[in-house]
């Protein structure tokens, strides 16, 4: 890389382009190998930069993946809200219709998450390590974006269900946190998954994320509405 390349990268446009290139490289590697396996050196090699030069743009590998996670939250929220807005509102939890609506909502949320493998992987790694090796300003920015997306999706849930704001937020956070956990347990595309599938005694270890997550969210949705409809004791 020449001195001229570094000079061009000092302009806001060039800096943004370089950051995008780094983020795209990290996303490609993480999609292929999993977030856990991707090092700063591997990202630098993929981009064609020296590792030390990447520090001009990102603090650490965790900073890179936290930035990807913030974007993934927004993209997922867009899709989830689009799906949910197609669901007819059902304010009556006592009707048979509500049970079908609850399952539809749960299925839509689960499907929208499973369709984004990198996001599911990032969801698991964010609290484990991605928030541990970055500045507090970086964490604050990420948290604000993630919270905003949770609130946006929760507002949509409130509009089509009898849930209150706290319950709707809990459904969204349960969906995303469980998606991350179940994705790690499922271990898709790994030797561990192949091992589980090849041994009949370990068949219970094979996790199918979408139906499992759908069942959890259906139970949560119906549980909230049942508890809300119970008369309060004096």
């Amino acid at each position: 890389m020449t001195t001229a390349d570094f000079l061009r990268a000092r302009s806001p446009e060039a800096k943004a382009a370089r950051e995008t290139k780094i983020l795209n490289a990290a996303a490609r590697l993480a999609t292929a190998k999993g977030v856990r396996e991707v090092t700063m050196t591997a990202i630098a090699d993929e981009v064609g930069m020296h590792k030390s030069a990447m520090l001009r743009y990102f603090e650490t590998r965790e900073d890179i993946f936290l930035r990807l996670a913030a974007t993934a939250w927004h993209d997922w929220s867009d899709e989830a809200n689009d799906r949910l807005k197609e669901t007819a509102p059902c304010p009556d939890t006592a009707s048979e219709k509500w049970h079908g609506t609850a399952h539809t909502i749960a299925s839509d949320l689960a499907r929208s998450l499973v369709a984004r493998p990198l996001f599911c992987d990032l969801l698991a790694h964010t609290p484990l390590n991605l928030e541990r090796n970055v500045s507090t300003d970086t964490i604050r920015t990420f948290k604000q974006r993630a919270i905003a997306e949770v609130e946006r999706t929760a507002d949509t849930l409130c509009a089509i269900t009898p849930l209150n704001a706290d319950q709707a937020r809990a459904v969204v956070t349960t969906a995303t946190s469980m998606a991350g956990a179940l994705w790690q347990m499922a271990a898709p595309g790994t030797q561990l998954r192949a091992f589980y599938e090849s041994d009949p005694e370990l068949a219970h270890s094979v996790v199918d994320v979408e139906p499992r997550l759908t069942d959890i969210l259906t139970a949560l949705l119906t549980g909230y509405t049942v508890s809300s409809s119970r008369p309060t004791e004096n």
Side-chain angles (χ1 to χ4, degrees):
M1 189 170 297
T2 67
T3 302
D5 290 327
F6 282 115
L7 289 175
R8 286 196 295 271
R10 288 174 183 167
S11 71
E13 296 79 8
K15 184 175 184 293
R18 190 66 55 77
E19 288 178 351
T20 298
K21 189 175 182 180
I22 293 169
L23 290 168
N24 289 341
R28 285 195 303 273
L29 291 171
T31 299
K33 301 179 180 181
V35 173
R36 185 194 309 275
E37 303 300 325
V38 181
T39 65
M40 194 74 157
T41 299
I43 299 171
D45 290 344
E46 181 77 5
V47 177
M49 296 176 64
H50 192 277
K51 179 180 174 180
S52 60
M54 290 209 340
L55 297 178
R56 297 170 180 265
Y57 307 96
F58 296 96
E59 307 168 40
T60 58
R61 71 177 288 278
E62 289 78 14
D63 185 17
I64 293 171
F65 284 116
L66 209 58
R67 185 86 65 88
L68 287 173
T71 300
W73 264 104
H74 176 77
D75 293 345
W76 169 75
S77 184
D78 273 350
E79 179 184 349
N81 276 275
D82 286 344
R83 287 177 180 267
L84 292 172
K85 288 174 182 176
E86 294 176 358
T87 303
C90 183
D92 184 6
T93 60
S95 70
E96 283 298 319
K97 181 182 177 183
W98 166 243
H99 296 288
T101 300
H103 185 271
T104 297
I105 291 170
S107 179
D108 284 344
L109 289 172
R111 190 177 300 115
S112 66
L113 286 161
V114 172
R116 298 176 179 273
L118 179 56
F119 184 40
C120 289
D121 201 11
L122 288 166
L123 284 169
H125 286 283
T126 296
L128 289 175
N129 51 62
L130 299 185
E131 295 178 350
R132 307 298 175 90
N133 194 25
V134 293
S135 67
T136 53
D137 285 343
T138 297
I139 295 173
R140 181 181 294 106
T141 298
F142 168 74
K143 286 293 193 184
Q144 288 172 339
R145 291 191 64 180
I147 290 169
E149 300 306 338
V150 170
E151 292 292 338
R152 182 159 70 109
T153 308
D155 286 346
T156 300
L157 276 176
C158 285
I160 62 174
T161 71
L163 301 181
N164 62 40
D166 287 340
Q167 292 169 337
R169 279 192 294 269
V171 170
V172 179
T173 55
T174 298
T176 51
S177 60
M178 288 304 302
L182 290 171
W183 194 260
Q184 299 304 309
M185 293 168 62
T190 65
Q191 292 183 347
L192 184 61
R193 175 70 179 224
F195 172 60
Y196 288 157
E197 292 175 338
S198 67
D199 190 332
E201 293 185 1
L202 300 178
H204 67 281
S205 299
V206 178
V207 176
D208 195 351
V209 178
E210 186 176 330
R212 184 78 63 88
L213 184 56
T214 298
D215 286 348
I216 292 170
L217 296 177
T218 300
L220 183 60
L221 284 161
T222 55
Y224 272 143
T225 53
V226 167
S227 64
S228 296
S229 63
R230 289 175 180 166
T232 57
E233 296 181 358
N234 294 328

